[in-house]
Amino acid sequence: MTRATPTALVVVPTYDEAENVRAAATAVLRAVPTAHLLVVDDGSPDGTARVVRGMAAEDERIHLIERSGKLGLGTAYVAGFRWGLERGYPILVEMDADGSHPADRLPALIDALLDDESVALAIGSRWIPGGSVVDWPLRREVLSRGANTYARIALGLGVRDVTAGFRAYRADVVDRMDLESVDSKGYCFQVDMTLRVDDLGGRIVEVPIRFRDRVHGVSKMSRSVVVEAMLRVTQWGIERRFRRAFQRTR
């Protein structure tokens, strides 16, 4: 692998994304022609897997994992990471299929890892200078900013967009994680993974992106997802404070 041709696996979980997945795949492979794309589909009734199978038959860079039902975002990513680790991809990328994550920023995320070996995680961030959101109602922006501020303070992290789902990991760092213990099924999976990188001593950087709301389909965000994230963040924050206090007294 050379600096000019980095190899990465872009993991894209899907549930009812037949309208979006072809455009997402095209954008990814146009932005990083040497990347491979792995779609992890949770039994989409709209035929998402069928669309991906057709694309995979025409392009060897496209792969598919089909699961039996809606098992959750976190478990989809874990399945994708394991698949990538088994095949030796050096960089593992998380990305949504709905067009909200700008594929043209993939090279910047990958370069952040390649340019500095101390960087374990590069996050596509909405909430740093240069980052932005498009077509969001004020209520949703306030909710996201508030959730990220709470998580940053509760967990003692310097990351401004800890819930962001557009990110690239150094695969050898993910390989050191106990993926069996990951049980965050909703969007708090992103917080969980950020904490795991931080606990392993990996450096985390943020790359500004312009986040756009989906055009087709419906958001998978729900009240239960928000509640899970808030409860988990509070629990993890308390555990980290006790652990650090214990370490200081030893």
Side-chain angles (χ1 to χ4, degrees), residues 27-246:
V28 165
L29 298 177
R30 182 186 298 125
V32 187
T34 56
H36 283 194
L37 177 77
L38 173 64
V39 175
V40 183
D41 186 68
D42 273 6
S44 298
D46 72 343
T48 300
R50 182 174 63 252
V51 174
V52 177
R53 282 196 298 273
M55 292 190 296
E58 299 174 357
D59 193 326
E60 62 183 8
R61 296 171 296 176
I62 299 175
H63 310 276
L64 172 66
I65 293 176
E66 294 186 67
R67 306 203 301 173
S68 59
K70 197 172 182 181
L71 303 176
L73 183 76
T75 63
Y77 275 127
V78 168
F81 291 164
R82 286 190 176 126
W83 191 95
L85 290 171
E86 289 169 0
R87 288 159 179 80
Y89 291 93
I91 294 173
L92 303 172
V93 178
E94 293 183 29
M95 186 173 178
D96 287 350
D98 60 12
S100 58
H101 295 154
D104 61 2
R105 296 299 285 161
L106 273 171
L109 288 177
I110 293 170
D111 283 348
L113 298 177
L114 295 177
D115 290 343
D116 187 339
E117 291 186 358
S118 71
V119 176
L121 168 60
I123 296 175
S125 179
R126 300 159 291 184
W127 309 128
I128 61 170
S132 62
V133 296
V134 180
D135 300 329
W136 266 22
L138 179 60
R139 177 180 58 80
R140 186 173 176 188
E141 180 171 345
V142 169
L143 176 62
S144 179
R145 285 184 180 273
N148 275 286
T149 298
Y150 176 72
R152 187 168 68 252
I153 294 171
L155 301 171
L157 292 172
V159 179
R160 298 193 65 83
D161 199 351
V162 70
T163 64
F166 188 33
R167 45 177 64 197
Y169 299 88
R170 198 175 293 280
D172 57 1
V173 175
V174 176
D175 195 35
R176 291 163 56 198
M177 297 178 186
D178 176 16
L179 293 178
E180 290 288 342
S181 67
V182 177
D183 64 353
S184 305
K185 296 181 175 60
Y187 286 90
C188 71
F189 171 78
Q190 314 301 354
V191 183
D192 190 349
M193 290 295 291
T194 306
L195 285 174
R196 289 169 188 265
V197 172
D198 186 64
D199 287 342
L200 288 171
R203 186 173 165 222
I204 302 170
V205 300
E206 294 183 85
V207 175
I209 66 165
R210 191 168 187 248
F211 182 98
R212 182 180 296 276
D213 205 7
R214 68 164 57 236
V215 175
H216 302 293
V218 296
S219 172
K220 309 305 188 295
M221 182 66 74
S222 68
R223 184 182 298 275
S224 64
V225 167
V226 174
V227 171
E228 180 198 25
M230 295 302 292
L231 291 175
R232 288 292 181 90
V233 166
T234 302
Q235 174 190 341
W236 292 331
I238 293 170
E239 290 173 351
R240 281 168 70 86
R241 290 176 188 277
F242 272 107
R243 185 166 64 244
R244 289 173 178 173
F246 175 74

Side-chain angles (χ1 to χ4, degrees), residues 12 14 17-26 37 39 48 51-52 55 97:
V12 179
T14 56
E17 297 289 0
E19 293 179 293
N20 297 312
V21 70
R22 186 178 297 277
T26 299
L37 177 77
V39 175
T48 300
V51 174
V52 177
M55 292 190 296

